[in-house]
Amino acid sequence: MTENVDNNVGLCLDVDGTLYRRGSVFVEALPWLTGAAWTRSTDRAHLRAAVAAVMRHYGGSLRGMVTRGLLSAVDSLRMLGCNQTAKAALKMLSQLSGPHGNGNTYPHRNREREHLHKLLLSEYGAAVADRPATIVRRSLATVFHDRHDGAVPSLPDRLVTTLSEIATDDVSVALVTDAPAHVAQAFTESTAELNDAVSVVGTQYDRVDGIFTGDFTRIDKGEVITELADRQGWDWVIAGGDTTRDLAMAQRADRFIAVEGHGDIRRWAETEGTAEATRDTRATFVPYGQQLSPVLRRIVNEGQ
């Protein structure tokens, strides 16, 4: 793919840590899941284990144990009908969120990131196993539509406006994420401006007759944007991500936006160099204090 004029542009962006730079849309939504789909004690245990694993990874064993204990208390409060107290406890937990968007991850734990991703997806898979996909999606929709006074993640208004305006007949916007595709889809559908403006590609959870089995298939982000470019006829591809796993997209794109969120992309940029590490791809580094919206507009305009 080479730069040209009057071409079709594809913009492929990671979600957690890139668009939502404070942390993980997926992880932060899990404690809020309630309703008929999540009444089994085993389901709740798997959800607690998933969130606690992330906290342990970023904050150590003590934070992991505290998180698990707090979530257990929240579940007990819900069983007793003390929903307002449970919400207050969850809001407190949201202030302790593990992966903060300041680039201060634990370097010695970064090599464990892949194991963490697999564990997180497996625990979530165990929680949704034998559950109708429609009920799970309905529960997720409730979480993202009910913002809980800022406790549940949402994108800045300026970024939402930018993405909706970028998504024209000549520019396609795709969210390419390691998170479950149906979770990312529920997140985007909760924002009216994004509902029809973006497409979502993510980890696929197997279903039989509309029922989740618990098994899942992760995506290769590099292969995804190559397939999207071929299928949609993109002449110029822009990708963006916050972790070294997102470099698979950089290898296939014409431009790469390295976004400092909660991932390890700053260390890569500092040690490898954005241009050299992506071979022929021209790369731009966006530090945490810099807004993403103007960078997206500028680079997309360059591709049109």
Side-chain angles (χ1 to χ4, degrees), residues 11 13 25 63 92 107 131 134 152 168 175 179 182 185 194 196 211 231 247 253 257 262 275 294:
L11 176 61
L13 298 169
V25 168
R63 179 168 289 187
M92 180 175 68
R131 294 302 189 191
T134 53
V152 173
T168 65
L175 306 186
H182 62 272
Q185 189 70 52
L194 295 182
D196 296 323
I211 307 296
R231 185 166 68 245
L247 295 182
I257 306 172
H262 71 263

Side-chain angles (χ1 to χ4, degrees), residues 60-256:
S61 299
L62 179 59
R63 179 168 289 187
M65 288 188 293
V66 169
T67 298
R68 192 187 288 261
L70 180 57
L71 290 176
S72 293
V74 167
D75 286 339
S76 296
L77 288 169
R78 283 170 169 163
M79 291 179 63
L80 294 172
C82 304
N83 293 326
Q84 292 304 316
T85 305
K87 284 186 176 182
L90 284 179
K91 289 177 184 178
M92 180 175 68
L93 176 64
S94 71
Q95 303 301 314
L96 302 175
S97 59
H100 291 290
N102 56 13
N104 294 328
T105 56
Y106 290 76
H108 64 287
R109 295 185 185 274
N110 282 334
R111 61 179 176 269
E112 302 172 7
R113 182 183 293 272
E114 185 69 14
H115 173 72
L116 173 65
H117 282 167
K118 291 180 179 178
L119 176 62
L120 177 58
L121 294 171
S122 295
E123 292 287 1
Y124 178 75
V128 300
D130 303 324
R131 294 302 189 191
T134 53
I135 293 180
V136 172
R137 285 198 297 265
R138 191 178 306 139
S139 180
L140 286 163
T142 300
V143 168
F144 288 123
H145 278 287
D146 182 5
R147 301 297 184 179
H148 305 294
D149 299 326
V152 173
S154 61
L155 297 181
D157 291 341
R158 182 178 180 182
L159 182 56
V160 170
T161 299
T162 296
L163 291 172
S164 62
E165 291 178 352
I166 284 175
T168 65
D169 290 339
D170 296 325
V171 181
S172 299
V173 179
L175 306 186
V176 183
T177 176
D178 287 313
H182 62 272
V183 176
Q185 189 70 52
F187 176 65
T188 59
E189 288 175 352
S190 68
T191 305
E193 296 89 337
L194 295 182
N195 194 10
D196 296 323
V198 304
S199 59
V200 175
V201 182
T203 297
Q204 292 292 329
Y205 280 77
D206 296 345
R207 288 174 290 175
V208 176
D209 296 329
I211 307 296
F212 283 119
T213 67
D215 297 326
F216 60 89
T217 303
R218 298 181 69 185
I219 60 172
D220 181 301
K221 292 187 174 183
E223 292 180 359
V224 164
I225 67 170
T226 297
E227 292 171 0
L228 287 173
D230 291 341
R231 185 166 68 245
Q232 301 193 28
W234 294 339
D235 299 308
W236 211 63
V237 178
I238 305 162
D242 73 306
T243 72
T244 50
R245 179 172 170 78
D246 294 319
L247 295 182
M249 293 192 291
Q251 301 288 345
R252 312 289 181 92
D254 297 285
R255 289 292 298 271
F256 181 66

